[in-house]
Each structure stands twice: as C-alpha cells, then as structure tokens.
Amino acid sequence: MSHSDLVQDNLVSLQTHVLAEEARHPGAEGDLSWIISAISLSGKTIANKVRRARLDDVLGAHGTENVQGEQQLRMDVIANEIIMRCLGDRASIAVLASEEDEEPRILRKSNEGGKYCVLFDPLDGSSNLDSAVGVGTIFSVTRNDANEPDGERTVCRPGTEQVAAGYILYGSSTIMCLTTGNGLDMFVLDQAIGSFLRVRTGLKMPERGAIYSVNEANASSFPEGYQRYLADAHASGYASRYIGSMVADVHRTLIRGGVFLYPPTQKNPTGKLRLLYEANPMAMLIEQAGGLAFSGDRRTMDIHPDRLHQRVPVVLGSRSEVERVQSFL
Ligand code: AHM
Ligand code: MG
C-alpha cells in the first residue's frame, strides 16, 4: 500500500479552493478570498447557533419588524449580527446590504479600499426553524462603483454584474454552494475539523426533472399560465416537493432537477422573493450549473433593480423544465 492510500480524506478546503481560483485571474489581490473566508466563518457560527437554537431558547419572535413589515425572529437578528460582525472588518468591503436592514451599511469608500459590496439574506426560511427543517444564508458579491456615492444605488445592479454568489444550507449537513463565475462548486462542513471541504467542482444540475416545488395553496391566485402549467404537471405524473425554505428547495432542485417557483399571488402581486438577496444569487448559481432562472418573461439576472428590497416572481431550475413553464406563461 502506498502512503497516499493511508489518507482517504478529501483535503481541498474552501480556502484553498478560493485562493486557487483567484490565482487564475492575473492581478487579483486576494480580496475576494478574504470576503469568502468571512462568509465561511459566519456560516460556521450560524450553523452552530441553528443547531443549538432550541437548547439556547432563541426560537421565536424578537418583537421587531423588518423593512418588509415582517416579524423578525430572534434567530434572524442573531444571524444578521454575526454576518455584520464577520464581514464588517474586512478591509475590501465597501457596502453591506442585508434583507433585514432598511438601508445598506456603508463601511468605506473605494478610495479607502472598498472594492466590493456584499448583499445577503442572513437566515432565509427562518420561520421553519422551530420545526427543525433546513434553513440557509444566501449571499451575493458585487463590485463597488467608485463613482456612485449613494449606497442604495451602488448595490442596485443587475445580477449579471455579480462576481460571486452562494448559499449555506443548514440542513442534515451544512453545505456551501459557491460560484465565482467559473462553474458551481460544493463544499460540506466537516464539523470535526471545522472546515468546509470541497466535494464537487463544476456541478451540473439535471437537464430535466419531473418535480415542481411551489406553495400550491396559493395556486388559485397565480396568473393563469402558472395554473395551466400545474394542471399539465398533474396530468403528466409529476412529483411535488415543497419545504418552504428557498435554500433547501433550491438545493434539492440543483441535485435532483425540476423547477422551483414563487409566482405572483394576490398577497404578493410581484412575487414574494427579493431580487437582490434571493433571486439573483440563486439565478447565478443555477445558471452556472446549466439551469435557467426567469422572473416573468425575463431572465432574472437581466433585471435592472429600481430599489433595494424589490420583489420579483421566480422560476428557476432544470433548463427544459423552466422552458416548459415559460411555454405556459
Ligand atoms: P424569508 O426571507 O422571510 O424567510 O422568506 C423567504 C421564504 C423562502 O425561503 C421560501 O421560499 C418562501 O419564503 C416561502 O414562502 P411561503 O411560506 O409563502 O410559501
Ligand atoms: Mg429570505
């Protein structure tokens, strides 16, 4: 037996991976690696809090509302604070924009080294925490515009301008899916050594999949095209899977194929999910894995946002399944 056979472990860490990715870009100065490392630290910290939430008695409402008028849970506030602290001291971050905060936080100007902006949903699906299903953190990294003094306008950029995007799923294992625009890579947190280890590079999602994922209780208020798609899916023997946590539902869609939808409803006429914190980063990941992501009749990442907390309809998943939905719209 050779010596190398004695160590079976996969030993490419997230850190090693990002540094190697960055080395492929001439002139890169390592700033993005520092940002991803801060996101990784926040993910590990949040994963630990999520696992202990009931023991530490931090489930339930915080007693405040966020900018969308939604009840903030204690864990939303905790996750937001962890990310703000971990990312707040990284020298190359100009702006931090969180789904939980009304205004973006401007940390430094570009002439003070602020090269990037990070947008995030700290704990998506948090209303599911008390039933212990998967929840997640979603993030998006864009370049800071040196000529734009207004923080909100700086981060209101189309998804095509994202330089990195990803999510961390706090599920039966803690998983990070990441893209820096060169395919989608997947990492699993090895609790024993405290590192995210790479398990897949260039992950491609199935081309098709007879699974739809939508909150079907709202179906009667979906625009007609979505209703006709669902009727067709029923008649064609599709399976329905819906957790109600976007990160968990998108992750399954990535692995198993199919389509995830959040259409316009009576309650949310432009859809529920937020363009900058949810739809765009997921769209980048899905496209990098060979899938498609649309909002109405437009590619999600082509939308020019007009405000920070803008909501859009979402249809994303396997290429042929998204095309099938589009054919009904
Ligand atoms: P949140 O950011 O307030 O947690 O809301 C977003 C979540 C998504 O994770 C999920 O896809 C969706 O809301 C579920 O909404 P609904 O309960 O209406 O089906
Ligand atoms: Mg959310």
Side-chain angles (χ1 to χ4, degrees), residues 40-105:
S40 152
L41 175 61
S42 17
K44 289 185 244 182
T45 313
I46 296 170
N48 188 42
K49 296 277 181 201
V50 164
R51 218 172 308 111
R52 296 192 50 85
R54 196 172 281 281
L55 290 171
D56 293 345
D57 198 19
V58 287
L59 293 171
H62 183 249
T64 46
E65 280 187 354
N66 67 14
V67 58
Q68 352 261 342
E70 296 158 345
Q71 272 286 330
Q72 278 184 307
L73 302 179
R74 273 192 274 180
M75 281 298 294
D76 288 325
V77 177
I78 290 171
N80 198 36
E81 184 57 30
I82 288 170
I83 299 179
M84 287 293 178
R85 275 205 232 165
C86 290
L87 272 73
D89 63 359
R90 298 290 151 131
S92 62
I93 301 184
V95 181
L96 286 175
S98 164
E99 187 190 290
E100 297 298 329
D101 295 336
E102 186 162 359
E103 304 278 344
R105 292 193 200 181

Side-chain angles (χ1 to χ4, degrees), residues 71-273:
Q71 272 286 330
Q72 278 184 307
L73 302 179
R74 273 192 274 180
M75 281 298 294
D76 288 325
V77 177
I78 290 171
N80 198 36
E81 184 57 30
I82 288 170
I83 299 179
M84 287 293 178
R85 275 205 232 165
C86 290
L87 272 73
D89 63 359
R90 298 290 151 131
S92 62
I93 301 184
V95 181
L96 286 175
S98 164
E99 187 190 290
E100 297 298 329
D101 295 336
E102 186 162 359
E103 304 278 344
R105 292 193 200 181
I106 300 169
L107 302 177
R108 52 189 71 76
K109 301 193 181 93
S110 52
N111 62 8
E112 296 161 349
K115 278 166 70 174
Y116 293 101
C117 307
V118 184
L119 298 85
F120 57 92
D121 180 354
L123 201 53
D124 184 69
S126 53
S127 62
N128 292 309
L129 269 173
D130 55 357
S131 41
V133 303
V135 293
T137 297
I138 311 171
F139 58 90
S140 161
V141 184
T142 61
R143 260 179 236 291
N144 185 30
D145 179 353
N147 303 313
E148 179 52 78
D150 182 274
E152 175 158 356
R153 280 208 295 273
T154 305
V155 292
C156 279
R157 310 297 308 165
T160 46
E161 294 185 18
Q162 295 172 107
V163 294
Y167 60 74
I168 303 164
L169 168 61
Y170 313 109
S172 53
S173 56
T174 301
I175 287 182
M176 183 189 289
C177 284
L178 173 72
T179 179
T180 53
N182 179 37
L184 188 157
D185 305 302
M186 190 165 120
F187 306 82
V188 176
L189 178 61
D190 185 333
Q191 314 266 16
I193 62 171
S195 284
F196 279 103
L197 298 180
R198 191 172 73 192
V199 289
R200 295 282 292 275
T201 52
L203 190 149
K204 290 292 171 206
M205 67 183 305
E207 269 274 321
R208 46 182 48 81
I211 306 172
Y212 67 83
S213 183
V214 68
N215 187 342
E216 213 161 358
N218 297 326
S220 64
S221 75
F222 292 163
E224 204 211 323
Y226 293 95
Q227 299 193 21
R228 284 193 286 116
Y229 166 73
L230 288 173
D232 184 71
H234 296 166
S236 311
Y238 274 49
S240 158
R241 295 284 182 274
Y242 191 66
I243 296 164
S245 256
M246 187 189 198
V247 178
D249 282 317
V250 170
H251 189 65
R252 184 202 50 252
T253 305
L254 205 55
I255 303 297
R256 295 272 173 86
V259 64
F260 169 84
L261 312 105
Y262 207 108
T265 63
Q266 215 150 35
K267 187 172 162 210
N268 293 296
T270 58
K272 176 182 180 189
L273 300 172

